[in-house]
Amino acid sequence: MKQASHSPDLTRLSRHIPHTPSIGSTTVTDEDHVHLSFGFAAPELFPLATLDQAAGEAIRTHGREALQYSGAPGPDDIVKWIEQRAHHNGLDVDSAHVLVTYGATQGLSLAAQLLLEPEDEVWTEAPTFFSALQAFRLSGAVIRAFPLEADGLNVELLEQALQEARATERPLPKLLYTMPTYHNPGGVTLSVAKRHRLIELAREYHFYVLEDDAYGELNFTGQPWPTLYSLAPERVIYLNTFSKIIAPGLRLGWMIAHPELIQRLRILMLGGSTGVFTQEIVAALLQNLDINGHLERLRTHYRQQRDVMAAAIDRHLGDAVRYVLPEGGFFLWISFREVIDTTELQQRAFTYGVSIVDGRSFYPQRDVGHQLRLCFSYCNAEQIEKGIARLARAYADYVAEQEAVQRNTLEYHN
């Protein structure tokens, strides 16, 4: 006998759970469709042979231990590698400062749980990473955003807001979230002067900075950037990930923070350890991988992809858009010179066979409608050229249709 279907009582769910689906992904399987929305690493750059060797080594050498809750030597080896890489990048840390997570996104969630109560203020950049916005919404925090400039967050406006909040006894931020280097989605990088001023403000106004450095290793110019953590380790929680430099499917990232914060973050993980068998494999991989050579291959490839996309935008969209050429990372952020409905343009572009991400997804109030995020890391050069050409045709048709509507409206009123 078929049982009756009962719907769940959705009124009992947390009011903070977002209603929006995953952003940037599609279910399209048509091989001709171009996915400029995917913020994915290039699959051809995954170190498959070395990973295959590492997986076999993990099973043969430590299999029974590695498959237990506590794992084998791999987790300790991963922490040691993170320490060494942190030292290479100018961070003074030891194992007590490090927590391995399920990607940087879990780090976002843990930091929000650690620091935020409902109605606490979180200040961010505008635009900013949409998963960070979701993490802060889940905490019940109040999100306030400040615009990006060509050299990163507008720190001057941030300072004015802090001064006004203190003078009027309004809430000050408990946390500021930033992606200072090769921003997602903005592609910009926070200048050294602004980094120092931001840290001065964090100390003066007693807020924490959550520094997301997911793309920091993908540096196209060779110019080093000081991490915010290196400037104020007592005020900054630092996030990074293997997703962009090895492979996202590993789901391994890490947090660096003061040991007292790390102790409390471990409690939030409910006693569990992050993918200990995966850590065993990655530890074996890192022992056999020339990380500097591997990173240089990534940088060379992604720099070439960026240049292909920028050239295609200049050729097909020309003066209709403006952008800051990113010096690293995965993304190019374009702003149309005229105010347009990018939600409608995203839908129209999809029918032309190219996926893009509407810029509204990166704003807390979804109130800016003339920007798009494009990803140059996932598609090959031919697909990038094809995708930008399709986007340009969709935009031209959109503009022609809007102009026709305006003409008809004028004729009607005249």
Side-chain angles (χ1 to χ4, degrees), residues 200-396:
E200 290 171 356
L201 293 172
R203 284 176 166 149
E204 180 180 352
Y205 290 89
H206 307 292
F207 59 84
Y208 279 100
V209 176
L210 183 58
E211 177 181 16
D212 190 340
D213 198 28
Y215 302 92
E217 293 279 15
L218 302 179
N219 183 332
F220 302 160
T221 67
Q223 177 183 352
W225 295 98
T227 63
L228 298 174
Y229 181 89
S230 70
L231 302 178
E234 81 286 2
R235 277 283 149 202
V236 179
I237 299 173
Y238 174 90
L239 306 178
N240 211 322
T241 179
F242 287 107
S243 294
K244 310 303 184 286
I245 62 174
I246 303 295
L250 297 170
R251 304 312 303 140
L252 280 184
W254 64 93
M255 307 177 77
I256 294 176
H258 190 282
E260 292 186 14
L261 298 181
I262 292 295
Q263 288 178 10
R264 286 160 175 78
L265 289 163
R266 290 188 193 281
I267 294 171
L268 291 174
M269 296 186 75
L270 304 179
S273 299
T274 303
V276 292
F277 183 62
T278 302
Q279 290 192 61
E280 196 69 39
I281 295 173
V282 174
L285 167 81
L286 293 170
Q287 289 177 1
N288 298 308
L289 183 69
D290 172 12
I291 188 64
N292 290 323
H294 175 69
L295 287 172
E296 193 53 43
R297 286 189 292 275
L298 297 184
R299 293 164 183 152
T300 298
H301 177 82
Y302 292 135
R303 182 171 54 244
Q304 291 171 347
Q305 297 291 92
R306 176 207 63 182
D307 292 344
V308 168
M309 178 171 280
I313 291 171
D314 292 344
R315 183 163 51 254
H316 293 291
L317 288 165
D319 293 337
V321 301
R322 60 182 183 275
Y323 60 88
V324 175
L325 189 70
E327 296 180 345
F330 280 7
F331 303 108
L332 203 152
W333 179 251
I334 65 172
S335 300
F336 289 87
R337 295 186 183 278
E338 296 180 350
V339 176
I340 68 169
D341 185 345
T342 45
T343 303
E344 182 177 338
L345 179 60
Q346 175 181 271
Q347 296 166 352
R348 186 183 294 265
F350 188 86
T351 67
Y352 279 69
V354 57
S355 297
I356 55 178
V357 183
D358 177 8
R360 285 190 174 93
S361 302
F362 302 93
Y363 287 89
Q365 307 304 325
R366 295 182 59 86
D367 55 351
V368 179
H370 66 290
Q371 297 170 314
L372 298 175
R373 190 193 75 174
L374 303 173
C375 179
F376 53 76
S377 60
Y378 178 70
C379 296
N380 61 35
E382 180 182 354
Q383 291 169 324
I384 290 173
E385 170 68 29
K386 183 189 298 183
I388 297 300
R390 290 175 177 178
L391 172 60
R393 289 199 298 273
Y395 172 68

Side-chain angles (χ1 to χ4, degrees), residues 1 27 87 110 123 129-130 139-140 148 211 223 257 261 286 360 363 387 408-409:
M1 181 177 178
T27 57
H87 293 159
L110 289 172
W123 291 8
F129 181 37
F130 46 71
S139 73
L148 286 178
E211 177 181 16
Q223 177 183 352
L261 298 181
L286 293 170
R360 285 190 174 93
Y363 287 89
N408 291 338
T409 301

Side-chain angles (χ1 to χ4, degrees), residues 165-220:
R166 175 175 283 177
T168 57
E169 298 184 346
R170 293 202 304 268
L172 289 164
K174 185 180 284 187
L175 175 67
L176 181 135
Y177 170 73
T178 177
M179 190 176 288
T181 309
Y182 320 133
H183 190 274
N184 174 14
V188 298
T189 295
L190 190 67
S191 68
V192 172
K194 283 186 172 183
R195 289 173 193 245
H196 284 277
R197 185 58 187 147
L198 178 58
I199 289 304
E200 290 171 356
L201 293 172
R203 284 176 166 149
E204 180 180 352
Y205 290 89
H206 307 292
F207 59 84
Y208 279 100
V209 176
L210 183 58
E211 177 181 16
D212 190 340
D213 198 28
Y215 302 92
E217 293 279 15
L218 302 179
N219 183 332
F220 302 160

